[in-house]
Amino acid sequence: MPQSFYITTAIHYVNDDPHIGHMYENVVADVVARHRRRMGDQVWFLTGTDEHGQKIERSAAKEGIRPIELADRVVKTHHALWKKLDISHDDFIRTTEDRHRLGVLELIRRIEKRDPDDIYAGEHSGWYCQSEETFIPENQVRDKRDESGHPVEWTTESNYFFRLSRFTQPLLDHYAANPDFIYPPTRMNEIRSFVEQGLKDLSISRTSIKWGIPWPGKPEHVIYVWMDALTNYISALGFGSSDHEKLDRFWPANIHLVGKDIVRFHAVYWPAFLMAAGLPLPRQIAGHGWWLRDNEKISKSLGNVVRPYNIIDEFGADPFRYFLLREMVFGQDQNYSDEAFLARYNADLANDLGNTLSRAIKMSDSYFGGKTPPTACDDNELKRLATEIEPDYLREMETLAFQRAMDVAWRLLTAINGYIVAREPWKKFKETGADESLSRVIWNVLEALRIVWVMMAPVMPATTREALSRLGADPDRIGADSLTWGQLANSVPVRATDPLFPRIDTAAYIGEKKMTDPTPAPPETTQAAAPDQSKISIDEFMKVDLRVVEIRAAEKVEKSKKLLKLTVFTGDGERTIVAGIATKYTPEELVGRKVVIVANLNPAKLMGIESNGMVLAASIDGEASLLSVDPAVPAGTKVK
Ligand code: ME8
């Protein structure tokens, strides 16, 4: 019997386009949803937009349009972005929908019915700002002016109040009985101490705002935006309608995923409303940290919003999804920079994950006639490790510790690389050909890689399909049982082709592009196909400055088996290049030879020596073979 699993994100304000914080939240929820689905659960994943209240009212007024026009426009960006990021939500709720209004009215009706004393009319007094049309908190008022200098007046407004104070003890009891109700535990501690100070009743209607759901029978009041917004989690399931099928199946929610700034609304107000209405409480409020820029929370008011739409356009959704989850420890804050993205992309994806895959497939392709090896193997160190780490991986995924889940996959990936180096399959092949022992070695490598990719499936869904099919595995087999060793078929075709993640020259990239700052909003119908990363334009190619040079001197680099320090003549001077060709060439045989280099690379330090360029060589199973140049070609000649 499959279990039901309901996960929600916060519904995002539609006064502006989504930023990296919204993206992170939806990617996390998506990874959880995909993981639960493949584990066999019946999943419902809800996201949406929060469209009422002052923020939207004001942003629309600034543009001289109606709030619903603003919401209709911005919600399109949300849809387009979630599609682009491969977010697999089952429903998208807008609080301006009728189904939502019915849910909110039903919630109020239930609360009043259970105990008419829980909602009462009262008066709310405070500093009211005419021009901002809002109450300004006491600590932001000086000399009867708000922080922007607008005059404020002491005003009393009649509101409806919710008797939140009555729920102080029931909430504390609930926290005590359900220690995982707020996650991670630091957030639980914060909320508990807040509630322990005693809760005040909450004003749940406004007469100063027009843009909202009118209070039943009192249309001069609108329902407080948080009471309105929180109810989306049940109105989307049909609460307030006659169809309760989804509500019965999916409520209470397993996870409300929200940022740490709004845990309080979800862990205090929301459960209190639900208790008052006699409805079950969600099982968990999971609070993630903030994406920061230069250690400040990104926000519209600080003007430091990060919207890396161009990164997604250029690299596709998967590398960005991977970055978000690998870079941030769930629950903690994390600084964003384009450089950090590119560093992770090159190191983790291009180098570790991508290269290992290409290398393994290439070996299978050339030793076994384009197929997976004919013999499998059931007793080896990779199998033992894969079996040992499976429960670790599942546990980390279960507790939203995605970063650690990926570290677990990397343990296997590192072991695969170690195994290849230790077994030296290229030597084996030279010595004894594609015999049974080589077959086992290569099959083990491919099978272990298959498991690494199955672990990556929720995070990088599209790339995982591609990697599995290149490996000769079934791209649809990513379920719980596919983490078990022994499933890669023998003698089925593999596909040796271009790298999955072509390396990026970080310095050139950052220098040439203004990446995420300033942040252009995406076009409204951003449904561009994922870029074909395997092709570049002629212009891009022409940026690479290839030159013939003459090697004037060569020496071994101390403590390195692979590196040689070369002094090359470029036609107008000499420069140093460090090249990884020492296993194939002696320094003596290189002097006087002409080779081709990439002349316009940024300098890089290798074993403490600055290298100014890269020598071109073919690479056969990691061994370099230099490109030959007619000795008559003068040093400095351009190659194109
Ligand atoms: O709060 N880093 O909407 P919102 C990470 N409509 N997450 C961030 C973030 C950042 N820098 N900035 C915002 C609202 N978020 C309400 C929610 S739910 C019933 C109503 C997160 O658009 C934020 O914590 O301001 C929240 O979870 C989500 O993005 C939407 O924020």
Side-chain angles (χ1 to χ4, degrees), residues 10-13 19 21-22 25 50 259 261-262 288-291 298:
I11 47 171
H12 306 155
Y13 289 125
H19 58 59
H22 303 134
E25 194 169 287
D50 188 354
D261 49 329
I262 60 170
H288 61 77
W290 286 337
W291 282 92
I298 57 158

